[in-house]
Amino acid sequence: MSEFDVIVIGAGPAGSSAAIKLAQGGMNVLLVERGDPPGTKNVSGAVLWGDELSKVVPDWERSAPIERYVTRKEVAFLTEKSKIAISYSSQDLMERKSGKIIVRGKFDQWLARKAKDAGAMLVTGITIDKLVIDGGKVIGVMQDGDVITSDAVIVAEGANPRVLINSGLRPKLSDHDVALGIKETIKLPENVINERFNVDSKGGYASEFVLGFLDDGILSGGFLYTNRDTVSLGIVASLDRLRANGMTHSYDIMGKFEEHPFIKNLIKDGIPDEYAAHLVPEGGLASMPKLYGNGYLVTGDAAMFTFSNGMVLQGINYAITSGILAAETILENKGKISEETLSNYVNKLRNSYVLSDLYTFNGIQNVTWSDFTQKTMPKILDSVMMSMFDERGMPKKHLMQVLSAAVKSNGMKYTELISSGYRMMRKM
Ligand SMILES: Cc1cc2nc3c(=O)[nH]c(=O)nc-3n(C[C@H](O)[C@H](O)[C@H](O)COP(=O)(O)OP(=O)(O)OC[C@H]3O[C@@H](n4cnc5c(N)ncnc54)[C@H](O)[C@@H]3O)c2cc1C
């Protein structure tokens, strides 16, 4: 007889959502988190998109620590001296409350407490080393030489899947599998944020950036989200390119981003509060481990469930949904846990947006992490804008001619632009 029905490894969004669902279904659940309290090890901007959490915590927005709702969304290309942005502000976006800006430290603690309230046993400050496998079946977890037994284990350990690797259930990560995220939290008075970002006290600004000004082959995106009285500023950089360059450190990229003229003004007089680094799954289907086995299921970042197209970075919603679906699969198969019964988890993921998005956008990283998107596009756009708005008392040209000249001056052929642009539109 096992000590627990289910052990959940990691009290991030995936693990806590799974634990809530399992406890609500009457299961005896142990939720183990290495951070103390939960959230201390977690790094996201973060915007939580969607409303999946209401499936396990109805009316969750009433008690959740939501900083602001996204009312201004930007996507911007930065060159050395310019910013070319698409900015979307909408009252409808406010009414729909689709993007909730959260601070992970507060949010993860709140969600783990919900799991505890639902009846799960939450243990913090404990790191699980590996799964215990007996006769091909996972029968529990090992922590510092001790074995804790359970009928099933949900692996929700995040983007650095050491438990899976130590248990021989996935290969080590390569530089293609993950990117490196860095986030700084900067304190600014609430009224300054409202004025500077043109939002009211409930509304929020969220922007993704292409850092087209970086040199030496480095590829990196950036983000800036407004919390209530802090802003989250960060980068997500290609490990491949950092390694190939060998000279640039991730904090150099962060430094250049902070010093960019358009960012510098936004964070002026801010007081740095926190600085943290974390991996972000970026490899898509090719990096995904086996999602189930005899006695275990893999969820969230540990399963490499994220979506990033340069306009949004989403992972928290995928984590919550996969956690709930993993819990559902176990609840439906209580007393008959096997590899075969747990395989239904994959069907559930396929029928949800989680796996469906991963298949639809398979290979998108070849577009988002490309020199065309991150280097050539910003330069071409910058040249076009400059030609349009720099009045020199000369005869004006049609947009097509301006674009053609900009393409040429950036060392590209027009046909190359069309084919790269077409590939980009098809993948995004
Ligand atoms: C810089 C950055 C910005 C991001 N911005 C966004 C955003 O704006 N919106 C969005 O949706 N997503 C964003 N993401 C992605 C998002 O953070 C993840 O997709 C999400 O956190 C995944 O949730 P999870 O529960 O699977 O993993 P995690 O949130 O990583 O949680 C895993 C938990 O497991 C614990 N743990 C790990 N190993 C063990 C162990 N061996 N024993 C016990 N506990 C363990 C960890 O401490 C952690 O609490 C961002 C990521 C980064 C790095």
Side-chain angles (χ1 to χ4, degrees):
M1 172 100 178
S2 306
E3 292 160 86
F4 293 92
D5 291 327
V6 186
I7 295 173
V8 181
I9 305 172
S16 289
S17 304
I20 295 170
K21 178 83 188 167
L22 289 163
Q24 286 170 345
M27 289 222 160
N28 177 17
V29 187
L30 174 65
L31 175 60
V32 193
E33 167 56 44
R34 73 189 162 116
D36 184 20
T40 43
K41 304 278 182 191
N42 292 343
V43 181
S44 299
V47 182
L48 166 53
W49 295 97
D51 187 35
E52 297 299 303
L53 209 45
S54 61
K55 290 181 181 152
V56 285
V57 189
D59 273 346
W60 66 278
E61 288 182 41
R62 279 172 192 261
S63 61
I66 295 171
E67 301 281 313
R68 291 171 185 263
Y69 291 94
V70 176
T71 49
R72 267 190 77 203
K73 180 79 183 88
E74 263 187 19
V75 183
F77 292 92
L78 295 181
T79 63
E80 204 174 326
K81 292 185 184 165
S82 312
K83 171 182 166 187
I84 308 106
I86 299 173
S87 182
Y88 181 66
S89 301
S90 167
Q91 282 301 316
D92 281 350
L93 206 57
M94 177 73 207
E95 274 152 35
R96 286 168 189 244
K97 296 184 170 174
S98 186
K100 293 98 181 158
I101 305 182
I102 55 170
V103 170
R104 287 294 299 276
K106 296 184 208 169
F107 182 81
D108 286 17
Q109 267 189 67
W110 168 83
L111 193 57
R113 213 177 312 122
K114 288 283 168 199
K116 218 173 142 189
D117 293 348
M121 181 190 285
L122 171 67
V123 181
T124 56
I126 299 279
T127 302
I128 299 301
D129 302 318
K130 60 177 185 172
L131 303 181
V132 179
I133 304 173
D134 185 20
K137 182 179 187 326
V138 170
I139 56 154
V141 299
M142 184 171 285
Q143 190 267 325
D144 211 10
D146 288 335
V147 174
I148 315 170
T149 56
S150 62
D151 293 345
V153 175
I154 292 182
V155 181
E157 60 179 328
N160 194 1
R162 271 177 294 197
V163 168
L164 287 179
I165 295 167
N166 292 345
S167 312
L169 296 173
R170 74 151 296 142
K172 283 187 179 163
L173 296 178
S174 79
D175 290 349
H176 300 294
D177 296 326
V178 281
L180 179 65
I182 293 193
K183 189 194 83 170
E184 185 174 8
T185 310
I186 300 163
K187 280 188 180 170
L188 278 171
E190 189 174 342
N191 62 319
V192 172
I193 292 181
N194 296 348
E195 272 170 34
R196 215 172 263 184
F197 294 91
N198 194 17
V199 289
D200 64 26
S201 53
K202 284 213 165 123
Y205 166 85
S207 185
E208 319 299 316
F209 298 90
V210 173
L211 308 190
F213 57 88
L214 297 172
D215 40 29
D216 295 336
I218 297 292
L219 298 181
S220 178
F223 61 86
L224 196 163
Y225 307 142
T226 55
N227 307 313
R228 195 171 53 78
D229 53 7
T230 56
V231 298
S232 297
L233 183 76
I235 58 151
V236 178
S238 152
L239 276 174
D240 259 352
R241 294 297 184 99
L242 275 173
R243 189 107 47 201
N245 172 287
M247 303 290 286
T248 305
H249 288 283
S250 47
Y251 48 79
D252 295 331
I253 305 175
M254 190 67 192
K256 284 184 183 171
F257 184 37
E258 282 174 319
E259 283 300 312
H260 191 279
F262 291 98
I263 299 299
K264 204 174 172 175
N265 282 338
L266 292 175
I267 56 172
K268 188 166 156 259
D269 300 328
I271 301 166
D273 192 32
E274 266 179 24
Y275 197 91
H278 204 278
L279 297 176
V280 187
E282 281 284 346
L285 288 176
S287 304
M288 199 183 284
K290 189 166 177 230
L291 300 172
Y292 66 94
N294 195 356
Y296 78 96
L297 294 170
V298 187
T299 60
D301 273 12
M304 303 278 137
F305 294 153
T306 55
F307 171 78
S308 163
N309 63 358
M311 295 196 269
V312 282
L313 167 56
Q314 296 188 352
I316 305 172
N317 48 341
Y318 290 83
I320 291 169
T321 302
S322 59
I324 294 172
L325 294 179
E328 245 178 53
T329 310
I330 291 174
L331 284 166
E332 285 163 8
N333 292 292
K334 189 171 163 55
K336 43 182 177 143
I337 299 290
S338 68
E339 176 152 7
E340 197 192 334
T341 55
L342 293 190
S343 69
N344 199 32
Y345 173 51
V346 175
N347 296 330
K348 287 177 183 287
L349 289 167
R350 280 214 185 99
N351 292 333
S352 78
Y353 66 96
V354 176
L355 267 189
S356 136
D357 286 356
L358 264 123
Y359 278 99
T360 305
F361 294 96
N362 190 26
I364 192 170
Q365 54 281 5
N366 299 330
V367 171
T368 49
W369 292 110
S370 71
D371 287 300
F372 172 72
T373 308
Q374 297 214 7
K375 306 278 182 219
T376 315
M377 276 272 288
K379 286 194 184 110
I380 291 176
L381 289 171
D382 194 9
S383 308
V384 169
M385 293 296 163
M386 184 53 93
S387 311
M388 306 249 292
F389 301 124
D390 180 32
E391 179 57 56
R392 294 272 155 188
M394 302 280 281
K396 294 181 178 40
K397 291 181 177 152
H398 285 296
L399 183 58
M400 196 71 171
Q401 289 170 295
V402 172
L403 181 62
S404 185
V407 170
K408 244 192 222 155
S409 69
N410 283 290
M412 211 177 184
K413 287 192 186 128
Y414 204 64
T415 46
E416 281 177 84
L417 175 77
I418 291 171
S419 62
S420 298
Y422 178 71
R423 253 201 315 276
M424 189 174 170
M425 296 299 277
R426 271 182 62 90
K427 284 284 176 197
M428 281 180 76

